[in-house]
Amino acid sequence: MAMPRPTVAQFAYGSCAVILSTFALLLLSGTTSGAGVAAVAVVSLALGLLVAVRVPVPASRRPAAVRPATPLPVRATVPSPAREQVRERAAS
């Protein structure tokens, strides 16, 4: 089974989550050391991956859970044509 490709929405949400969480964590933590910045980067990447995975998949890409039942045969009824009265002609 092939692995499904990520959608544009997953890329967008994941990228935004990484960028915004990196800026927020760097501003809130106030870290200046290399190890602190690396830790913030790892946490931000993990958060971006989590957000990208949690984006709903469009309905057209979801596999069908249950196959539809086979349709029952339909009996077609055709109404009989209306009968016209037969008129006899007088002999001339």
Side-chain angles (χ1 to χ4, degrees):
M1 182 174 180
M3 189 170 159
R5 294 181 182 217
T7 62
V8 174
Q10 288 174 320
F11 275 125
Y13 283 122
S15 299
C16 289
V18 168
I19 293 168
L20 294 176
S21 64
T22 301
F23 283 138
L25 287 173
L26 286 174
L27 288 174
L28 291 175
S29 68
T31 185
T32 55
S33 68
V37 172
V40 166
V42 168
V43 169
S44 297
L45 286 173
L47 182 64
L49 180 64
L50 179 70
V51 168
V53 169
R54 298 298 299 167
V55 172
V57 178
S60 62
R61 296 186 71 179
R62 290 185 185 150
V66 178
R67 294 188 68 185
T70 57
L72 297 175
V74 178
R75 296 174 70 181
T77 56
V78 178
S80 59
R83 298 201 174 222
E84 295 181 19
Q85 292 181 353
V86 179
R87 296 182 186 179
E88 295 182 19
R89 290 188 178 184
S92 34

